[in-house]
Amino acid sequence: MHNRHIDHPGRGGKGLPALGAVSMQIVAICSQKGGSGKTTLSGHLAVQAHLAGDGPIALVDCDPQGSLAAWWNARELPGPDFARTTLGSLEDDIAGLRSRGFRYLFVDTPPAASAAIARVMHFADLILVPTRPSPHDLRAVRATLDLAERAGRPLVFVVNGANARSRLTTDAAVALSQHGTVAPVLIAQKLIMASSMIDGRTVMETHPDSQSAQEIVTLWGYVRDRLVKIANREAFLRRRVLSTGFGRRQIEGEDALPAAELGEMA
């Protein structure tokens, strides 16, 4: 198998990178509603990030059911890597993955377990909440949203298992938009999405020309752009803290953010 299984990467890790180094960003896929498609979305986004050349990419499965880990163990194609961790060692293992130079970490979370989800959210740069367009899923959103608000992390809803021509899908997107940002791409209900994962692959690898594959490509492009803006904003704020002067920023030379880059943070 071409992929790496990283057993507790925090052991012997070197800690956080110095200011100016490219720091790993964490995408947590969370929902307190079971059956929302977290595992399928986690695997697909991680593979698409790898295929797009945005790696190195790592995956973590915090769901005791271990569905994502089982999918990865069946995978024979290269990338992404998989890191075994526990909630207790998560902080150290994240630091270890950072020290190894990973660019993005995707974390699959369990349903219903509020404490586990809250801990993962604490470390996330961006939280994705897959939500099926059904009354039950929409009612369950509030609990996940409350956890994200307490963690103080940005959140994006992903309408998953959708029928683009259904009024229910449109109504769900509108309802979710009242609570936060909704990704501009719907993930349609397609059998090939789930069936592609039987042998450790994804729909981009089994049906690369399909609508489902294009939806994942588009979704990752959107998520990546959001992550870049988050990173730019954090870098700007860190430089501002370290800047000197009497009430004004003195950020010059290579550390200065161009006006165009500042615009990207808006």
Side-chain angles (χ1 to χ4, degrees):
M1 190 173 290
H2 300 284
N3 303 333
R4 291 182 295 171
H5 184 285
I6 306 166
D7 192 8
H8 290 290
R11 295 174 183 171
K14 298 178 183 178
L16 296 175
L19 180 63
V22 176
S23 180
M24 181 181 73
Q25 289 182 288
I26 300 169
V27 181
I29 296 85
C30 305
S31 174
Q32 288 200 302
K33 176 72 169 60
S36 62
K38 294 187 298 295
T39 299
T40 299
L41 195 61
S42 298
H44 274 78
L45 285 175
V47 169
Q48 179 53 36
H50 170 76
L51 294 175
D54 295 321
I57 307 298
L59 276 167
V60 162
D61 189 356
C62 287
D63 189 342
Q65 292 183 356
S67 298
L68 187 66
W71 165 81
W72 186 88
N73 283 324
R75 183 170 175 79
E76 296 183 355
L77 295 174
D81 293 319
F82 186 89
R84 187 168 71 89
T85 187
T86 65
L87 289 173
S89 65
L90 185 60
E91 183 171 9
D92 288 341
D93 290 339
I94 286 173
L97 290 169
R98 278 200 175 99
S99 73
R100 292 170 185 241
F102 283 96
R103 185 67 191 91
Y104 295 107
L105 172 64
F106 293 85
V107 184
D108 189 20
T109 59
S114 297
I117 295 174
R119 180 158 179 77
V120 172
M121 284 181 172
H122 173 76
F123 298 108
D125 293 281
L126 182 64
I127 299 166
L128 300 183
V129 182
T131 308
R132 295 189 182 276
S134 76
H136 298 303
D137 282 67
L138 293 175
R139 280 192 287 268
V141 159
R142 183 70 255 177
T144 306
L145 185 62
D146 288 344
L147 290 175
E149 289 176 348
R150 286 200 290 270
R153 297 295 187 263
L155 174 149
V156 173
F157 294 109
V158 179
V159 180
N160 192 33
N163 181 344
R165 298 177 182 177
S166 169
R167 174 66 182 271
L168 187 58
T169 297
T170 303
D171 290 347
V174 171
L176 291 171
S177 69
Q178 306 303 310
H179 300 286
T181 302
V182 180
V185 56
L186 303 176
I187 305 301
Q189 178 70 40
K190 299 287 185 180
L191 181 60
I192 57 174
M193 283 282 289
S195 63
S196 69
M197 301 190 79
I198 292 175
D199 59 358
R201 292 185 291 173
T202 63
V203 74
M204 296 85 68
E205 295 155 321
T206 61
H207 299 81
D209 297 324
S210 66
Q211 174 187 333
S212 295
Q214 186 55 52
E215 289 168 354
I216 296 296
V217 170
T218 304
L219 179 60
W220 168 241
Y222 168 78
V223 170
R224 180 182 55 201
D225 288 347
R226 287 294 302 264
L227 289 167
V228 168
K229 290 179 180 180
I230 290 169
N232 286 345
R233 185 184 300 277
E234 290 179 350
F236 173 73
L237 292 176
R238 291 171 70 191
R239 290 166 183 161
R240 184 174 183 178
V241 168
L242 294 178
S243 65
T244 59
F246 297 97
R248 66 184 182 91
R249 299 191 303 274
Q250 294 183 353
I251 307 173
E252 300 176 350
E254 294 182 354
D255 286 338
L257 288 179
E261 188 174 348
L262 288 173
E264 285 296 313
M265 299 190 301

